[in-house]
């Protein structure tokens, strides 16, 4: 009697090895892949995009933002989630923000498998490709009509808060250590930049 000793990483590699060519993926294929693969994968216009494994610093910054937003939302009956969590931002496009929230827990965009939008998303910038968060996802989240987008950049020691104006984002503020970041969408919400970035 033989036993299977395939690790999750090996299983993920096998799934990705037999994938369709880039440009030939569809939504059903992407959803199936991410249901069975432990890697962070996004989907844009027939192509899948494998994201780097988050660093410890990335995860700590993400969790600090999550805790602040969760504490704010809980008494207001909002709902919040963290990556990996799929959000549909277009007919053939899915992203996995580091933090995403809806102002109302009964929001119809909230589904068990993925959300069909969000009210606010947060991305912690990864050093491998800052343009992914500053340019690509900025355009995707604006096109999806997400009212507010926070870009938290540990390397630049900055938090940029963007608010949707028409079909594009305008800068609500750029905040640095020593500053208190504010939100246009959540008027009473604040974040101490030093504490978010450094945990102090």
């Amino acid at each position: 009697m033989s036993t299977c000793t395939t690790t999750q990483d090996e299983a993920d590699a096998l799934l990705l090895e037999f994938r369709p060519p880039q440009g030939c993926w569809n939504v059903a294929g992407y959803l199936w892949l991410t249901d069975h693969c432990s890697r962070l994968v996004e989907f844009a216009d027939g192509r899948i995009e494998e994201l780097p494994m988050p660093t410890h610093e990335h995860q700590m910054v993400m969790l600090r933002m999550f805790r602040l937003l969760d504490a704010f939302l809980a008494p207001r009956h909002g709902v919040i989630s963290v990556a990996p969590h799929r959000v549909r931002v277009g007919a053939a496009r899915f992203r996995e923000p580091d933090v995403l929230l809806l102002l109302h827990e009964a929001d119809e965009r909230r589904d068990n498998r993925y959300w069909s939008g969000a009210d606010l998303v947060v991305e912690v910038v990864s050093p491998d490709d800052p343009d992914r968060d500053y340019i690509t996802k900025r355009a995707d989240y604006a096109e999806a009509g997400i009212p507010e987008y926070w870009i938290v950049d540990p390397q630049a020691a900055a938090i940029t808060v963007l608010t949707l104006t028409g079909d594009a984002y305008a800068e609500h503020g750029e905040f640095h250590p020593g500053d208190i970041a504010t939100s246009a969408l959540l008027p009473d919400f604040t974040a101490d930049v030093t504490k978010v970035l450094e945990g102090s």
Side-chain angles (χ1 to χ4, degrees):
M1 181 173 132
S2 63
T3 58
C4 179
T5 58
T6 304
T7 67
Q8 184 62 54
D9 283 344
E10 290 169 334
D12 290 351
L14 285 170
L15 284 172
L16 292 169
E17 181 180 347
F18 295 104
R19 61 190 175 191
Q22 287 285 36
C24 297
W25 282 86
N26 58 28
V27 170
Y30 163 75
L31 292 174
W32 181 89
L33 175 69
T34 49
D35 281 343
H36 295 86
C37 179
S38 63
R39 298 186 186 185
L40 293 172
V41 181
E42 296 182 325
F43 175 64
D45 303 321
R47 302 175 64 86
I48 62 165
E49 301 171 7
E50 298 170 53
L51 304 182
M53 182 62 67
T55 63
H56 176 73
E57 178 187 46
H58 182 113
Q59 294 298 84
M60 291 302 99
V61 171
M62 178 188 77
L63 288 172
R64 290 179 201 124
M65 281 300 307
F66 169 80
R67 291 183 190 117
L68 285 172
L69 287 163
D70 186 49
F72 179 85
L73 279 179
R76 296 168 173 81
H77 307 291
V79 62
I80 187 167
S81 189
V82 296
H85 189 121
R86 298 171 295 210
V87 59
R88 191 169 198 161
V89 295
R93 195 167 295 167
F94 284 78
R95 295 296 179 191
E96 293 199 11
D98 286 307
V99 182
L100 60 162
L101 66 84
L102 292 167
L103 295 176
H104 306 289
E105 58 188 1
D107 194 305
E108 293 182 355
R109 294 173 294 173
R110 178 187 177 198
D111 186 75
N112 192 44
R113 201 166 186 206
Y114 61 84
W115 288 5
S116 298
D119 291 319
L120 185 151
V121 293
V122 179
E123 293 285 5
V124 179
V125 177
S126 297
D128 72 299
D129 186 7
D131 285 351
R132 181 171 54 240
D133 298 311
Y134 279 105
I135 298 173
T136 306
K137 290 191 176 184
R138 177 174 178 157
D140 284 347
Y141 294 148
E143 185 178 344
I146 295 173
E148 192 160 290
Y149 176 29
W150 285 50
I151 303 173
V152 183
D153 191 336
Q155 289 71 45
I159 295 176
T160 304
V161 179
L162 303 171
T163 185
L164 195 62
T165 303
D167 59 359
Y169 283 119
E171 190 175 292
H172 169 71
E174 183 177 298
F175 306 93
H176 300 273
D179 296 338
I180 302 297
T182 61
S183 167
L185 181 69
L186 312 173
D188 298 322
F189 176 76
T190 60
D192 184 316
V193 178
T194 303
K195 290 182 178 179
V196 169
L197 295 177
E198 301 172 13
S200 59

